[in-house]
């Protein structure tokens, strides 16, 4: 059970640090909303953390399946972005990298270091079992998983906020204008854009906040006024 309590402590530290950073850069209302949105995903992480108990029943096959599935799905998601992006139409404004992108980029660099360390440790461990083919497969998939995770986070960090004819492109996602109900700028943090939108699934958040580059704020505001039916501030209550 030590790993379980360790996970709970780790999640608490992550939530606390995340809240302080977001509250300082984007305001407490945004930080509170982000905490609420993050909790369900933390529960998903807890479920994943429980997977080791299944390993005793199914052996490394369960981990191998998990690693392989993640690598394939994540790789396809990244590679398919140019095709998915076509739905967004022509470019109206390339707003550049946001605060979120820059944070993810540095987190991605840390993940690259983690992946490199895991690769080295795994390579050393293989020397102890040079003829065990199942160990080689398991280790290779584990290494591929950690490098794919690093590639994903770095890619998100290098991605840019784009406003296009049919919607907004952010973090490898296309959000059509039709899904956006209204928008507003945070009062105390004028570069923080908050958009109320129609979530694709019930459990997904209905509000998205982005800290945009200051130089692009006015241009973004003008495009949003033209593309979103309702204008701020009356259409969106931020609390």
């Amino acid at each position: 059970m030590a790993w379980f309590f360790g996970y709970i402590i780790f999640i608490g530290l992550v939530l606390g640090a995340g809240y302080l950073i977001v509250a300082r850069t984007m305001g407490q209302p945004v930080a509170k909303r982000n905490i609420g949105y993050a909790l369900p995903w933390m529960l998903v992480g807890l479920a994943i953390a429980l997977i080791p108990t299944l390993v005793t029943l199914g052996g490394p096959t369960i981990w191998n399946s998990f690693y392989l599935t993640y690598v394939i799905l994540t790789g396809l998601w990244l590679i398919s972005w140019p095709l998915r992006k076509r739905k967004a139409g022509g470019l109206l404004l390339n707003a550049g990298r946001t605060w979120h992108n820059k944070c993810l980029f540095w987190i991605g660099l840390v993940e690259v270091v983690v992946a490199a360390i895991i690769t080295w440790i795994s390579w050393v461990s293989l020397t102890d079992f040079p003829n065990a083919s199942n160990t080689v497969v398991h280790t290779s998939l584990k290494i591929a998983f950690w490098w794919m995770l690093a590639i994903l986070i770095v890619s998100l960090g290098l991605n840019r906020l784009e406003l296009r004819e049919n919607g907004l492109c952010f973090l490898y996602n296309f959000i059509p204008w039709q899904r956006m109900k209204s928008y507003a700028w945070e009062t105390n943090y004028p570069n923080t854009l908050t958009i109320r939108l129609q979530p694709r699934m019930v459990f997904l958040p209905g509000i998205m906040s982005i800290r945009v580059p200051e130089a692009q704020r006015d241009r973004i505001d003008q495009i949003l006024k033209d593309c979103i039916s309702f204008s701020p501030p009356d259409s969106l209550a931020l609390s």
Side-chain angles (χ1 to χ4, degrees):
M1 293 296 292
W3 66 267
F4 178 80
F5 292 108
Y7 179 83
I8 296 299
I9 294 174
F10 173 75
I11 292 303
L13 292 175
V14 170
L15 288 175
Y19 178 86
L20 292 176
I21 293 173
V22 175
R24 183 178 179 84
T25 57
M26 301 175 66
Q28 288 189 357
V30 175
K32 291 178 180 178
R33 288 197 296 268
N34 286 351
I35 289 294
Y37 300 151
L39 286 177
W41 296 108
M42 294 300 179
L43 294 178
V44 173
L46 178 60
I48 294 175
L50 291 173
I51 289 180
T53 60
L54 300 177
V55 175
T56 58
L57 300 176
T61 302
I62 293 180
W63 278 116
N64 292 346
S65 300
F66 171 75
Y67 291 148
L68 182 61
T69 301
Y70 179 86
V71 170
I72 292 176
L73 293 181
T74 303
L76 290 176
W77 187 73
L78 290 173
I79 294 173
S80 66
W81 174 236
L83 295 176
R84 293 184 285 120
K85 191 176 180 180
R86 289 182 182 178
K87 298 179 181 179
L91 180 66
L92 299 178
L93 175 67
N94 182 349
R97 295 169 62 210
T98 68
W99 177 81
H100 297 80
N101 296 117
K102 295 175 181 178
C103 287
L104 285 170
F105 177 75
W106 287 107
I107 294 173
L109 292 183
V110 173
E111 183 59 35
V112 168
V113 175
V114 172
I117 293 174
I118 291 177
T119 301
W120 179 76
I121 294 175
S122 300
W123 176 260
V124 172
S125 67
L126 279 179
T127 60
D128 297 331
F129 305 95
N131 298 321
S133 59
N134 57 338
T135 302
V136 173
V137 171
H138 176 73
T139 302
S140 300
L141 289 174
K142 180 173 68 174
I143 292 174
F145 165 80
W146 285 104
W147 279 107
M148 181 57 72
L149 181 60
I151 291 172
L152 171 64
I153 300 176
V154 171
S155 298
L156 292 173
L158 294 175
N159 194 241
R160 296 172 179 270
L161 172 64
E162 295 182 353
L163 283 73
R164 292 181 168 267
E165 291 177 336
N166 301 325
L168 182 150
C169 292
F170 183 56
L171 298 179
Y172 284 90
N173 282 292
F174 164 57
I175 306 174
W177 298 122
Q178 292 83 352
R179 284 186 55 208
M180 303 181 198
K181 299 179 179 179
S182 55
Y183 79 98
W185 299 94
E186 296 285 341
T187 304
N188 297 326
Y189 296 83
N191 294 336
T192 299
L193 169 67
T194 297
I195 301 175
R196 185 181 297 276
L197 47 81
Q198 180 65 41
R200 293 179 178 176
M201 299 181 183
V202 177
F203 60 87
L204 293 178
I207 294 180
M208 176 179 66
S209 295
I210 308 172
R211 184 181 177 185
V212 305
E214 183 177 0
Q216 302 290 352
R217 183 194 184 281
D218 293 340
R219 181 68 179 124
I220 291 174
D221 185 65
Q222 185 58 52
I223 294 176
L224 293 178
K225 286 181 179 178
D226 296 336
C227 296
I228 298 180
S229 302
F230 300 99
S231 300
D234 297 332
S235 60
L236 180 61
L238 300 177
S239 59

